[in-house]
Amino acid sequence: MVEIEIDGQKVEVSEGSMVIQAAKKVGTYIPHFCYHKKLSIAANCRMCLVDIEKAPKAVPACATPVAAGMIVRTKSEKAIKAQQSVMEFLLINHPLDCPICDQGGECQLQDLAVGYGKSASRYQEEKRVVFHKNVGPLISMEEMTRCIHCTRCVRFGQEIAGIMEFGMLGRGEHSEITSFVGKTVDSELSGNVIDLCPVGALTSKPFRYSARTWELSRRKSVSPHDGLGANLTVQVKNNKVMRVVPLENEAINECWISDKDRFSYEGLNSDERLTKPMLKQGGQWHEVDWQTALEYLGHGLADIQREHGSDGIAALATPHATLEELYLLQKLVRGLGSSNVDFRLRQSDFSNQLKGAPWLGMAIADVERLDAAFVIGSFLRKDHPLLAARLRHAVKNGGKLSVLHACDDDPLIPLTGKIIAAPSAWASELAGVAAAVAAAKDVALPSALSDAEPSQRARRIADALLSGERRAVMLGNSAVQHPQFAQLHALAQWIAEATGAKLGFLTEAANTVGGYLTRAVSPLGAKELLEKPRQAYVLLHAEPEFDSADPVTTLKALRGAKMVAVLSPYKNTAAADYADVLLPVAPFTETAGTFVNCEGSAQSFNGVVRPLGETRPAWKVLRVLGNLLKLSGFDYETPEQVRDEVLSAIDMNTALSNATSASIAATASQSNDLERIADVPIYHADALVRRAPSLHLTNDARRAMVASLPAELFDSLGINEGDAVTVRQGECVTTLPAARDAALPSNTVRVSSATPAGAALGPMFGQIKVEKAQ
């Protein structure tokens, strides 16, 4: 530690700290623009100049390391004059258009100009003009004349997002921030540069000119999307969500959020919002009151229970539902004598006997401290943007990352080991890694793997996984959705135990862990509840044609049921076909609830706006339905009572477990047939993002609407980029534009699920045929 003095106050800071960090420790604010605690030091705005004793002139506090006995003055005449001079230079070319600037009211330049600027400029020449650039549908660069060249956006891309999409060209007053020629900004974390920009140069395109900051109310919430549970500040005007920005939580999302978290709010006010209960009578939909709709549903369920038994009733939910909603759903179904309730709609292998709720296996913050990680079956950047950023940080600090996956998408992280293979080969490839670990550790392999031979790639992964002290083996969404999930899990568990690594799951959605904790899981699994159709289905937040592992089988079961009730914020075309009753329930911004994230932290939130129309919170709808059916234990007055009942009955130390009792079996040889790779695209993953218009103008969204073919197959079909191809999977057929993808193994085709084309096909994994469209 080093002791220094700042404005007469003594403070001890760690050696190597900068003066600006020491000042923050004693509560002294030093004005700055380019400095940011999460980014490297650039020292190019010079606003943080301070007076250090014995230094001939003012020095930048962000780039000056502390030294023992240093005396710093931040408010001396020398420091103030230097800061005022810098401000004068910054304002020379600034357009001074605060009245029309979106950043007005929350602009660092505006705030500091009040304290350090002058009432008039001595500069009489013409100001420079920087022409606008189009960098995509999310970020506006219409007023780049405002830019002060702090380069925060450039450094964010290089250091946090992992890709340099912004850069600075030119010199002096001709310098300007721009993207690469003809390129848009496509990072899944790109929206964070809007928050980082200290002026109004980079602003939100969807939010642009829609409200002023002082008109907005700010309310805390939690993201309903991926398993991280990013903390949000939701900004509201006239009972409408206008903007979403990060709420800093160092342990979870630091000060970042993904673009999915930031821009999905557009879907809250979609034209497809369901605002009144509806019943289908004579093939026609009619709006009714809540009492009529609930009595109709209650009588229907009671009739089916009486005529077909309790086993004829099933409920399907998504892991984006809250803890309270999932708990009451399973309680309702079990109160009717059935155990047919499940939220694992995209899972296809339920032979795995889990001993508890699968979770990350560590604190989220510990991910960036890993020395070695092996990720199995994950579209890492798109499935888990902020966890990928943590892993990127771990690798920057010397960690080693290895992956086993179906396509060679760039994770924007240097990889130590990599196995890219068709899904049918994953188990045998993982067995090879196990064999390499056994050889390196000189331990016996499970007898079922006696024939496994480690490849050079497997040895490289094993060596990386055996290095360092903090290690992890992580199963991604695709591994859980895989038809051999039980085998992959058992192999991953053996590898983790043999290497001394922690076994973890990169959980799919905001409340995947909570779904297990509430027992919203059927012993049969969601797959059997659809393959052996039930007479009645209750769907909670689910759009099965997009959210299930096999949309065709799912839709067949729903269309054949005697009653289907949909509890959703939205009315879609498919639901209008198979449903009998539509109940408008609240999205996360209109209800109170709890999500349990991937590290097992329960995060509660309140509604930030009043429910739209006659929308009601789903927990309240399920409670009333329980009362109508005369079930015991449905006397809750608040969602907090439901939450407390769930969590008080759980010991998190024993409830969270990644262990499996599944035994390792001999691995089958890889299929030579053409196989489907079905990712769940980042902007199609749930009902809310599917309805966010700006997100669907991005390149990520457009890429999800094509059939990606390996180079060999693409060339053999004699087609050009964008030509139509016919894709067949069993009896299912669809037509899509083709794209050449060098990242795919030669015997695979990538056709995304959770899209209209994906809904027209069969299971997410399996054989597929592609031919040139006639």
Side-chain angles (χ1 to χ4, degrees):
M1 300 293 284
V2 174
E3 185 179 81
I4 68 170
E5 181 183 307
I6 299 180
D7 293 338
Q9 285 184 276
K10 296 284 180 69
V11 60
E12 278 195 352
V13 293
S14 57
E15 196 171 347
S17 297
M18 299 298 160
V19 170
I20 198 169
Q21 295 164 331
K24 185 176 181 180
K25 193 171 181 179
V26 295
T28 297
Y29 177 72
I30 297 175
H32 61 274
F33 294 112
C34 69
Y35 173 77
H36 190 279
K37 63 183 179 181
K38 293 291 181 180
L39 303 177
S40 62
I41 291 166
N44 51 8
C45 78
R46 317 308 282 183
M47 192 64 213
C48 64
L49 293 174
V50 294
D51 178 13
I52 294 181
E53 193 170 87
K54 298 181 182 178
K57 52 188 176 183
V59 296
C62 71
T64 304
V66 296
M70 179 183 278
I71 298 175
V72 180
R73 300 183 183 90
T74 68
K75 297 178 176 62
S76 68
E77 183 182 354
K78 183 178 181 180
I80 296 295
K81 190 172 181 180
Q83 291 162 353
Q84 288 175 337
S85 298
V86 170
M87 179 57 70
E88 185 175 16
F89 279 118
L90 288 175
L91 295 178
I92 280 176
N93 273 311
H94 194 78
L96 305 178
D97 57 349
C98 301
I100 64 160
C101 180
D102 255 5
Q103 197 87 342
E106 52 187 9
C107 173
Q108 279 182 261
L109 183 64
Q110 192 178 52
D111 293 342
L112 293 179
V114 173
Y116 299 91
K118 296 182 178 180
S119 58
S121 174
R122 293 182 288 177
Y123 188 78
Q124 300 301 317
E125 287 75 16
E126 287 186 11
K127 292 177 179 282
R128 74 174 192 150
V129 174
V130 179
F131 291 104
H132 72 271
K133 292 99 177 167
N134 181 16
V135 292
L138 305 180
I139 300 169
S140 172
M141 296 183 76
E142 291 291 321
E143 285 91 12
M144 288 306 292
T145 305
R146 298 170 184 159
C147 178
I148 60 170
H149 307 142
C150 70
T151 68
R152 280 183 178 183
C153 56
V154 178
R155 286 175 284 147
F156 172 82
Q158 289 175 298
E159 299 164 18
I160 307 298
I163 181 169
M164 184 178 178
E165 293 183 294
F166 283 120
M168 189 159 70
L169 52 79
R171 294 173 67 87
E173 73 164 13
H174 300 295
S175 300
E176 58 181 88
I177 297 291
T178 185
S179 62
F180 287 92
V181 177
K183 299 288 186 181
T184 54
V185 174
D186 298 321
S187 167
E188 60 282 353
L189 300 174
S190 67
N192 289 291
V193 302
I194 298 167
D195 302 327
L196 285 172
C197 185
V199 295
L202 302 176
T203 54
S204 168
K205 237 178 207 182
F207 175 72
R208 186 174 161 81
Y209 294 149
S210 59
R212 304 312 301 259
T213 180
W214 53 84
E215 300 174 318
L216 302 172
S217 301
R218 289 160 177 78
R219 292 154 192 177
K220 298 178 182 178
S221 193
V222 178
S223 168
H225 301 301
D226 63 43
L228 194 86
N231 290 202
L232 310 175
T233 298
V234 181
Q235 301 183 350
V236 176
K237 177 185 177 183
N238 296 334
N239 200 51
K240 182 179 179 182
V241 175
M242 304 298 293
R243 183 166 61 168
V244 174
V245 296
L247 175 65
E248 186 169 347
N249 185 333
E250 194 63 28
I252 295 177
N253 57 298
E254 301 176 274
C255 54
W256 318 120
I257 55 174
S258 70
D259 289 354
K260 180 162 62 171
D261 299 330
R262 183 181 300 273
F263 297 108
S264 64
Y265 73 87
E266 288 186 300
L268 295 169
N269 300 297
S270 164
D271 292 340
E272 292 187 22
R273 276 298 298 266
L274 180 65
T275 56
K276 291 185 178 180
M278 300 183 76
L279 292 181
K280 186 190 286 183
Q281 295 173 326
Q284 299 295 315
W285 283 101
H286 302 278
E287 292 181 352
V288 296
D289 58 63
W290 270 101
Q291 185 72 17
T292 302
L294 288 173
E295 286 180 355
Y296 176 86
L297 176 55
H299 290 317
L301 291 175
D303 290 346
I304 287 169
Q305 182 188 30
R306 185 170 54 255
E307 294 173 15
H308 300 279
S310 297
D311 193 51
I313 298 172
L316 301 173
T318 73
H320 303 281
T322 67
L323 190 79
E324 294 81 357
E325 292 165 357
L326 289 173
Y327 179 68
L328 290 179
L329 181 68
Q330 67 83 29
K331 193 171 185 178
L332 178 78
V333 173
R334 289 193 164 93
L336 292 170
S338 172
S339 61
N340 299 334
V341 56
D342 217 309
F343 70 92
R344 302 166 294 176
L345 303 188
R346 291 194 176 110
Q347 189 170 325
S348 57
D349 179 10
F350 291 90
S351 62
N352 199 358
Q353 297 302 310
L354 299 173
K355 295 184 177 179
W359 67 300
L360 187 59
M362 67 188 79
I364 290 169
D366 290 341
V367 171
E368 66 184 48
R369 303 186 186 101
L370 290 172
D371 297 317
F374 180 27
V375 176
I376 302 163
S378 176
F379 295 88
L380 195 54
R381 282 175 49 209
K382 307 306 177 183
D383 290 347
H384 312 283
L386 292 172
L387 281 175
R390 295 267 192 184
L391 283 169
R392 190 172 294 116
H393 192 76
V395 172
K396 281 174 65 177
N397 289 338
K400 297 178 180 178
L401 176 63
S402 303
V403 298
L404 164 60
H405 196 35
C407 56
D408 198 10
D409 289 351
D410 188 356
L412 303 178
I413 308 172
L415 298 176
T416 301
K418 176 172 65 177
I419 297 176
I420 305 300
S424 65
W426 285 8
S428 59
E429 293 287 359
L430 207 51
V433 175
V437 169
K441 294 276 289 182
D442 196 21
V443 296
L445 263 177
S447 57
L449 303 182
S450 57
D451 294 335
E453 289 291 334
S455 64
Q456 191 59 42
R457 298 177 301 176
R459 290 192 184 94
R460 193 176 299 117
I461 291 174
D463 290 343
L465 200 52
L466 288 166
S467 63
E469 297 178 0
R470 296 177 292 269
R471 315 178 184 110
V473 176
M474 298 174 171
L475 288 158
N477 296 353
S478 294
V480 176
Q481 294 156 3
H482 197 283
Q484 293 176 285
F485 167 49
Q487 178 74 340
L488 297 177
H489 188 180
L491 285 164
Q493 180 173 275
W494 189 91
I495 292 169
E497 289 172 351
T499 58
K502 291 182 178 179
L503 179 63
F505 281 80
L506 300 172
T507 56
E508 179 183 8
N511 206 29
T512 300
V513 176
Y516 281 94
L517 296 179
T518 59
R519 294 175 54 240
V521 289
S522 165
L524 302 174
K527 182 181 181 182
E528 187 163 333
L529 299 182
L530 294 163
E531 288 182 343
K532 296 180 179 178
R534 269 48 185 180
Q535 298 297 319
Y537 289 96
V538 178
L539 306 181
L540 176 60
H541 292 297
E543 297 181 317
E545 64 275 19
F546 299 128
D547 295 330
S548 61
D550 186 348
V552 172
T553 299
T554 300
L555 289 175
K556 183 179 178 182
L558 294 173
R559 287 168 181 153
K562 287 190 173 181
M563 170 174 276
V564 176
V566 175
L567 283 68
S568 171
Y570 303 102
K571 178 185 177 182
N572 63 36
T573 305
D577 174 36
Y578 58 68
D580 300 286
V581 54
L582 299 174
L583 301 179
V585 296
F588 81 107
T589 51
E590 298 170 20
T591 184
T594 303
F595 293 136
V596 183
N597 70 2
C598 59
E599 70 174 11
S601 295
Q603 300 187 101
S604 295
F605 56 92
N606 292 313
V608 299
V609 292
R610 293 188 304 276
L612 188 64
E614 293 184 27
T615 296
R616 297 290 181 267
W619 74 268
K620 194 173 286 188
V621 174
L622 292 166
R623 185 208 66 188
V624 173
L625 189 56
N627 292 335
L628 282 173
L629 291 166
K630 296 181 171 54
L631 303 178
S632 62
F634 279 82
D635 301 322
Y636 309 101
E637 295 295 328
T638 66
E640 288 76 18
Q641 290 177 321
V642 184
R643 178 197 64 198
D644 293 344
E645 183 174 311
V646 179
L647 297 180
S648 63
I650 294 170
D651 178 3
M652 284 292 190
N653 293 323
T654 56
L656 300 177
S657 172
N658 292 324
T660 175
S661 57
S663 57
I664 295 174
T667 55
S669 58
Q670 177 182 352
S671 167
N672 291 320
D673 295 316
L674 202 59
E675 296 181 40
R676 179 182 175 189
I677 298 172
D679 62 315
V680 178
I682 183 171
Y683 302 136
H684 293 79
D686 59 70
L688 183 57
V689 293
R690 284 194 280 268
R691 291 170 172 83
S694 295
L695 292 177
H696 284 270
L697 296 173
T698 62
N699 283 336
D700 271 330
R702 284 196 289 268
R703 276 194 290 266
M705 309 305 288
V706 304
S708 297
L709 312 181
E712 186 178 331
L713 176 60
F714 189 93
D715 294 340
S716 69
L717 292 175
I719 55 177
N720 298 313
E721 197 82 14
D723 285 355
V725 292
T726 301
V727 181
R728 301 179 187 275
Q729 191 176 14
E731 300 297 318
C732 306
V733 182
T734 191
T735 301
L736 286 167
R740 184 189 179 107
D741 191 344
L744 296 175
S746 60
N747 63 328
T748 63
V749 174
R750 181 168 170 171
V751 181
S752 300
S753 64
T755 63
L761 293 176
M764 294 173 69
F765 296 82
Q767 294 181 15
I768 198 168
K769 294 180 180 178
V770 179
E771 56 192 32
K772 187 176 181 179
Q774 299 301 316

